[in-house]
Amino acid sequence: MNENYLKRWGTISSVLCLAIIFLVNDFYFYNNRAFKENKFLFDENTINLGLDLRGGSEFILSPRIDKWIINNHQANISDGKNLATAIDDLKKSNDLFTLENFFIYLSAYDIGISDIFPGEDINSLTKNINIALNSNKDIIRKRIDTRGVIEPTVRVVGNKISVEIPGDQSVENIESLITTSASLNFKQVLNAPPQGPLTIDNISIWQRSINNFVLKFPSLRQHISIIPDFLDTQSGKIDFIYLKKENINLFKDAVDQLKIYNLNFESRDFGYFAADNRFDILDLQFDAGDIWLGLLSPVHPNISGEMVSNASLQSDGTSSAMYVILLEFNNTAERKWFNYTSKNIGEQVAITLDGEVLTYPTIQSAISGSSQISGFDDYLNAENITIALNNGKFNLPLQIDSIYKSGPELGEKMITLGLIAFFCGIACVIIFMIFYYKISGLIASAALLINILLMTSILSILGSTLTLPGIAGFILTVGIAVDANVIIFERIKEEIKNGTPYLSAIESGYSRAFITILDANITTILTALILYFFGTGPIKGFAITLTAGILCSMFTAIYITKTIFMTISQTNFYKKIKI
């Protein structure tokens, strides 16, 4: 028993030194935040505090699988209507919109995966979506980094993206920044809300074209709002059609499904114009977020956001506190833009972002080199658009599933309460162990404190996020670590009662208890792994802390305490040890 104890102390000392090194960064970081830009020796990670401990906001984003299918399918016209119907059926059901469920619904129309995605199967499509999801994650991180958000956490959690904005940082308009696909397009205006002087003629021409097109499709009628008999013209009365804020996405989804198979949308598409006060003089008032409809050409001038090499934001140079976004094109777009503007002087062109019209100026002359989007009175909105354009568009549309917010005051309170519970738990365990097992209990308590040090170090190495459930995991592993020593000490007691010599009893107690402890810890680790892979957010934090604690407890409760007993056995002091 006494042959290897010096080597064992060398191992223990090395582990403790490494643990301390890995915690140096954390010590400096939480005492001097600027230190995070550096690293101590080879370590650059720190333990992050979760939103429940330091406050902040978390946005859970899920992919719009239906939009992705519509944007990427290769179905022919004959299968298109059934494809659109299958999408609609699944959305109206209580089932989640996943690829698996979609193809089940699609199979009811005798259409298989290869019919709409030639050469693909469910595995390859899932892989493509996961690649797009990870690409979106990187784009979101770039966007919010550019916005100046400090220490954001952006990660893929299962099939969703979690965006955490820590502390009390302003997240005003952040929702649009992390969900906009940033699909910029230039489209020729066919019919749009009139600009400049309002006349019966220009209003009636615009609204008559909207009436004629929208009312063709029963699936669109249920989502529109109508002001009946708005205009009384020589050719008859005309209704005013617009979209209420709450119906905009429903209308857009219905339009997307029609585009799959309806040939009317090859020559025209809807444009979505933010309602303003230009019709106040006609006693027409709209709520914030309402939308007017227009008709655009989806074909011309065939310039998209991928052709914008840089976007920058600046004041419009007047005293009206308005802002403009300057767009610089690549060479291909420059030529297209010059040719288009040369041939369409006097025509209107709409600049759209995700289908919503940002501006639709009249072309006054041929334009070369660059262009601009004007008319922004909200700086943050203009800044978000600029940032989105400079950091690429999503290949997979996203939507906000949920938003979780907590104040920093609540976080500080949770930390205080968590630490009180943690230290009270440790103190109670140590007092009990020393009272019941005397010096052996003191040895076990020393190993327990080392266990906590090693656990903290592992979390730092991984750069893990510590949450309130994570603190609970810490407290739980304190009990697990001591439980191992209780099993060992009780085994030793049995050996001594059976007349086994003292040192042999210690050796036998550790060897006989090892299998029992290993079996118990393996089952707990398996449970923790299930929590980690199927849980989200704080549940993952609990699983990581629990796993780290179990691994460390095996080292401290068995290896370190046995080494201490081996060392004591080299002296006469072991005769005074009581178990």
Side-chain angles (χ1 to χ4, degrees):
M1 186 172 181
N2 60 357
E3 295 178 357
N4 298 318
Y5 79 96
L6 290 177
K7 292 181 180 180
R8 293 167 72 99
W9 275 118
T11 301
I12 294 170
S13 300
S14 300
V15 171
L16 290 178
C17 286
L18 284 174
I20 293 171
I21 289 173
F22 284 120
L23 289 175
V24 168
N25 254 7
D26 299 79
F27 174 79
Y28 280 108
F29 173 60
Y30 285 104
N31 287 276
N32 176 18
R33 299 187 73 82
F35 188 82
K36 187 171 176 66
E37 300 302 321
N38 303 310
K39 64 179 181 179
F40 181 75
L41 298 180
F42 47 81
D43 176 40
E44 57 183 8
N45 290 332
T46 61
I47 297 174
N48 301 302
L49 295 182
L51 295 186
D52 53 354
L53 295 182
R54 61 174 167 174
S57 304
E58 181 182 22
F59 301 87
I60 301 298
L61 311 177
S62 63
R64 289 290 307 271
I65 303 297
D66 56 326
K67 292 272 190 185
W68 184 85
I69 292 171
I70 290 171
N71 294 338
N72 294 278
H73 78 89
Q74 299 179 43
N76 54 42
I77 296 297
S78 60
D79 288 335
K81 186 172 181 59
N82 288 332
L83 170 60
T85 305
I87 291 174
D88 194 49
D89 290 343
L90 179 52
K91 290 172 72 172
K92 290 178 179 178
S93 73
N94 294 323
D95 296 325
L96 293 176
F97 204 114
T98 63
L99 278 179
E100 292 81 1
N101 286 340
F102 168 69
F103 286 119
I104 290 174
Y105 275 77
L106 191 63
S107 64
Y109 299 95
D110 295 325
I111 300 176
I113 297 176
S114 59
D115 294 321
I116 59 173
F117 292 104
E120 304 281 1
D121 57 26
I122 191 70
N123 293 325
S124 62
L125 292 176
T126 301
K127 181 179 179 181
N128 291 340
I129 288 177
N130 289 335
I131 291 172
L133 196 66
N134 279 280
S135 173
N136 284 2
K137 177 203 69 175
D138 296 334
I139 292 172
I140 290 173
R141 175 175 289 281
K142 291 177 185 177
R143 289 181 182 179
I144 57 182
D145 281 346
T146 305
R147 175 77 178 270
V149 175
I150 299 172
E151 299 175 49
T153 300
V154 184
R155 64 183 189 275
V156 175
V157 181
N159 61 349
K160 298 182 181 181
I161 295 176
S162 167
V163 180
E164 295 182 358
I165 311 296
D168 57 354
Q169 301 178 75
S170 172
V171 292
E172 188 176 357
N173 285 358
I174 199 75
E175 292 95 335
S176 64
L177 183 62
I178 62 178
T179 56
T180 178
S181 292
S183 178
L184 186 77
N185 286 284
F186 291 70
K187 296 183 178 181
Q188 182 175 322
V189 174
L190 302 177
N191 297 100
Q195 295 173 312
L198 298 177
T199 67
I200 296 295
D201 285 344
N202 59 24
I203 297 175
S204 63
I205 291 172
W206 164 48
Q207 274 298 314
R208 193 182 298 280
S209 67
I210 300 302
N211 275 258
N212 291 340
F213 194 58
V214 170
L215 299 180
K216 286 181 178 181
F217 309 106
S219 61
L220 301 184
R221 293 178 192 171
Q222 57 186 316
H223 304 306
I224 62 175
S225 296
I226 295 177
I227 302 174
D229 300 336
F230 166 67
L231 288 177
D232 191 357
T233 66
Q234 292 181 348
S235 55
K237 294 181 179 181
I238 302 174
D239 297 334
F240 191 105
I241 292 178
Y242 70 104
L243 300 179
K244 299 289 289 183
K245 181 180 180 180
E246 58 269 21
N247 291 325
I248 293 172
N249 288 332
L250 295 172
F251 184 88
K252 288 182 177 180
D253 288 349
V255 169
D256 286 340
Q257 292 174 34
L258 285 170
K259 288 180 182 178
I260 296 175
Y261 63 90
N262 196 294
L263 298 179
N264 284 287
F265 288 92
E266 289 187 353
S267 58
R268 64 192 62 200
D269 193 5
F270 284 109
Y272 304 93
F273 299 76
D276 54 36
N277 61 358
R278 74 183 71 176
F279 295 126
D280 284 359
I281 59 173
L282 300 177
D283 248 0
L284 272 185
Q285 295 183 344
F286 300 90
D287 297 328
D290 289 350
I291 289 290
W292 298 330
L293 295 172
L295 295 177
L296 311 176
S297 167
V299 180
H300 303 291
N302 195 24
I303 297 176
S304 60
E306 292 86 348
M307 300 177 181
V308 176
S309 57
N310 184 60
S312 58
L313 177 63
Q314 67 180 41
S315 170
D316 67 352
T318 68
S319 58
S320 58
M322 302 290 282
Y323 303 93
V324 298
I325 299 175
L326 299 181
L327 304 176
E328 298 177 14
F329 297 127
N330 61 23
N331 293 334
T332 302
E334 280 186 9
R335 289 193 299 270
K336 286 185 175 183
W337 190 229
F338 178 78
N339 292 335
Y340 176 78
T341 54
S342 299
K343 298 174 182 178
N344 290 276
I345 294 174
E347 299 292 336
Q348 288 178 304
V349 60
I351 303 177
T352 68
L353 186 72
D354 299 341
E356 297 190 8
V357 177
L358 301 176
T359 184
Y360 55 115
T362 300
I363 300 171
Q364 304 293 340
S365 61
I367 304 172
S368 61
S370 62
S371 188
Q372 69 178 30
I373 309 173
S374 59
F376 293 100
D377 56 1
D378 185 331
Y379 177 82
L380 285 177
N381 182 37
E383 182 187 38
N384 282 349
I385 292 173
T386 305
I387 291 171
L389 292 176
N390 282 328
N391 289 287
K393 75 170 187 175
F394 291 160
N395 292 318
L396 177 64
L398 300 175
Q399 64 183 359
I400 294 179
D401 259 9
S402 61
I403 302 175
Y404 167 79
K405 294 184 179 181
S406 65
E409 300 83 7
L410 179 62
E412 291 175 6
K413 183 178 180 181
M414 291 298 101
I415 291 175
T416 302
L417 293 175
L419 290 177
I420 290 173
F422 180 60
F423 287 119
C424 285
I426 293 174
C428 290
V429 169
I430 290 176
I431 291 171
F432 172 79
M433 291 297 291
I434 294 175
F435 174 78
Y436 195 80
Y437 292 107
K438 307 300 187 290
I439 294 176
S440 297
L442 186 62
I443 293 172
S445 299
L448 175 62
L449 296 177
I450 294 174
N451 178 60
I452 294 169
L453 174 68
L454 297 181
M455 284 175 60
T456 309
S457 178
I458 288 178
L459 295 181
S460 178
I461 293 170
L462 298 175
S464 299
T465 298
L466 182 63
T467 60
L468 198 59
I471 294 178
F474 257 98
I475 298 172
L476 179 60
T477 52
V478 168
I480 292 175
V482 171
D483 181 59
N485 283 120
V486 169
I487 294 173
I488 292 169
F489 293 163
E490 293 301 320
R491 288 285 191 183
I492 293 173
K493 277 185 176 182
E494 290 178 8
E495 294 294 328
I496 292 174
K497 286 180 180 179
N498 293 331
T500 306
Y502 197 83
L503 296 180
S504 298
I506 292 175
E507 178 69 35
S508 178
Y510 273 95
S511 60
R512 290 181 60 191
F514 177 77
I515 295 299
T516 303
I517 296 169
L518 182 63
D519 287 345
N521 286 339
I522 286 176
T523 56
T524 308
I525 287 177
L526 290 175
T527 303
L529 290 175
I530 292 172
L531 290 175
Y532 180 81
F533 286 110
F534 293 97
T536 59
I539 302 301
K540 283 181 176 286
F542 174 79
I544 291 173
T545 307
L546 183 60
T547 303
I550 291 170
L551 295 176
C552 292
S553 72
M554 291 287 289
F555 178 72
T556 57
I558 298 176
Y559 192 87
I560 290 182
T561 57
K562 185 176 181 179
T563 303
I564 295 175
F565 278 116
M566 290 171 64
T567 304
I568 294 176
S569 71
Q570 305 304 305
T571 69
N572 290 325
F573 184 71
Y574 79 89
K575 298 177 181 180
K576 300 179 181 180
I577 296 179
K578 295 182 178 180
I579 297 179

